[in-house]
Amino acid sequence: MKFLVSREVQPENSVVRVGDVAFGEGGFVVMAGPCSVESEDQLMACASVIADCGGQLLRGGAFKPRTSPYEFQGLGEAGLKLLALARERFGLGIVTEVMTEGDVDLVAAYADMMQVGARNMQNFALLKALGRCGKPVLLKRGPSATLKEWMMAAEYVLSNGNPDVVLCERGIRSFDSHTRNVCDIAAVPAMKEMTHLPVILDPSHATGRRSLVAPLSRAAAAIGADGLLVECHPDPDRALSDGTQSLTLDQFRDLMMSLPCRMLKA
Ligand code: PEP
Ligand code: MN
């Protein structure tokens, strides 16, 4: 059987557009923002710096898949409204996670791109609904998913009518806790050999360590990734989620300056 996601079926790269931002056309798309949308001030501070230094998309979670049910679960629709306000103010398209099939219509009413988190990579009911949602999808790799399983997860979205899928490597489970996950950087070119879909790297979740985000971001650029997902926060030590891996806004600016020039917005 030939799969829609495979290079056999489509040898040339897919270009996935989110407004005027294109993944897979040879550029390097930086999406960034806080792990969780926490407040108007927090989100606008991030969006202002991201827009100012050439980031193309604002990414923040309103529905958060937290390991513990007692941790901050996100602002829900109020968070989506803040994202829409940031889009209006700064002209950045917004990317945000949808966790359940039942939330697809609500999230699609606000988002420019729908994120499927790692834990939901094989939520097949959600993937089928996203096939019909009319918005591009950012599909993160499951923490223990093989590349073939990840490709089949994307196949669910394509085969249900939506060709616009961007894949995101975010690290996998292994034995050494020196990083939160193991950044499987080889997965990026390996996936690009097998599939025509764009592939980006998320060095924030892949490492869990702020100091490792910039070097791995540059590595992603060097190996031909189609972009990055990076977490940043005006005050990471007080973040309600993922503070240890979030760059300060100054660090985010420095990272953007350190990426090869051709990768920054003209
Ligand atoms: C996130 O993007 O904030 C997130 C929860 O990531 P992941 O699904 O990769 O764990
Ligand atoms: Mn996060």
Side-chain angles (χ1 to χ4, degrees):
M1 164 136 201
K2 289 192 176 171
F3 297 109
L4 298 172
V5 295
S6 73
R7 288 260 183 214
E8 276 177 285
V9 166
Q10 183 185 312
E12 69 279 8
N13 290 335
S14 280
V15 176
V16 175
R17 291 184 199 282
V18 181
D20 59 2
V21 174
F23 293 85
E25 242 181 0
F28 193 71
V29 176
V30 178
M31 64 173 77
C35 179
S36 300
V37 176
E38 297 171 6
S39 68
E40 181 172 337
D41 285 354
Q42 173 241 23
L43 187 65
M44 300 305 155
C46 292
S48 153
V49 170
I50 293 162
D52 188 51
C53 58
Q56 290 106 316
L57 295 168
L58 175 65
R59 204 230 43 147
F63 293 95
K64 295 304 304 177
R66 304 306 302 283
T67 300
S68 159
Y70 306 113
E71 288 172 330
F72 180 58
Q73 302 286 306
L75 295 178
E77 188 170 5
L80 297 176
K81 290 196 158 109
L82 289 174
L83 286 162
L85 187 62
R87 169 174 53 206
E88 216 171 279
R89 284 200 196 151
F90 298 100
L92 295 167
I94 60 179
V95 186
T96 196
E97 178 158 353
V98 57
M99 285 170 46
T100 69
E101 188 190 351
D103 288 337
V104 167
D105 289 346
L106 173 68
V107 176
Y110 293 91
D112 298 296
M113 184 177 218
M114 312 279 280
Q115 175 177 321
V116 178
R119 293 159 187 80
N120 261 326
M121 189 204 82
Q122 286 184 316
N123 179 339
F124 299 119
L126 175 62
L127 297 173
K128 287 181 190 175
L130 288 169
R132 302 183 291 264
C133 79
K135 292 277 164 92
V137 172
L138 179 68
L139 179 61
K140 298 187 105 181
R141 180 182 180 183
S144 59
T146 65
L147 299 192
K148 287 200 172 138
E149 288 164 342
W150 191 13
M151 287 199 16
M152 284 307 99
E155 187 77 14
Y156 265 89
V157 181
L158 269 69
S159 65
N160 280 278
N162 187 350
D164 293 325
V165 175
V166 173
L167 300 164
C168 178
E169 167 62 42
R170 50 73 75 201
I172 50 174
R173 272 284 163 92
S174 188
F175 62 90
D176 191 338
S177 59
H178 88 99
T179 50
R180 181 180 181 184
N181 291 291
V182 172
C183 183
D184 184 5
I185 198 142
V188 174
M191 281 299 267
K192 288 178 70 70
E193 278 180 12
M194 294 189 287
T195 174
H196 49 83
L197 298 174
V199 185
I200 69 169
L201 183 73
D202 167 0
S204 304
H205 294 86
T207 66
R209 284 168 57 182
R210 194 176 303 150
S211 65
L212 302 181
V213 169
L216 283 163
S217 298
R218 291 188 288 272
I223 60 164
D226 295 292
L228 285 178
L229 184 168
V230 172
E231 289 188 337
C232 58
H233 194 285
D235 188 358
D237 291 340
R238 297 216 186 130
L240 297 181
S241 59
D242 288 352
T244 57
Q245 67 195 34
S246 298
L247 299 181
T248 65
L249 299 181
D250 284 345
Q251 288 172 327
F252 179 74
R253 202 182 277 284
D254 291 345
L255 163 64
M256 292 300 281
M257 298 295 289
S258 79
L259 292 173
C261 298
R262 72 176 178 85
M263 293 173 170
L264 297 178
K265 199 160 65 178

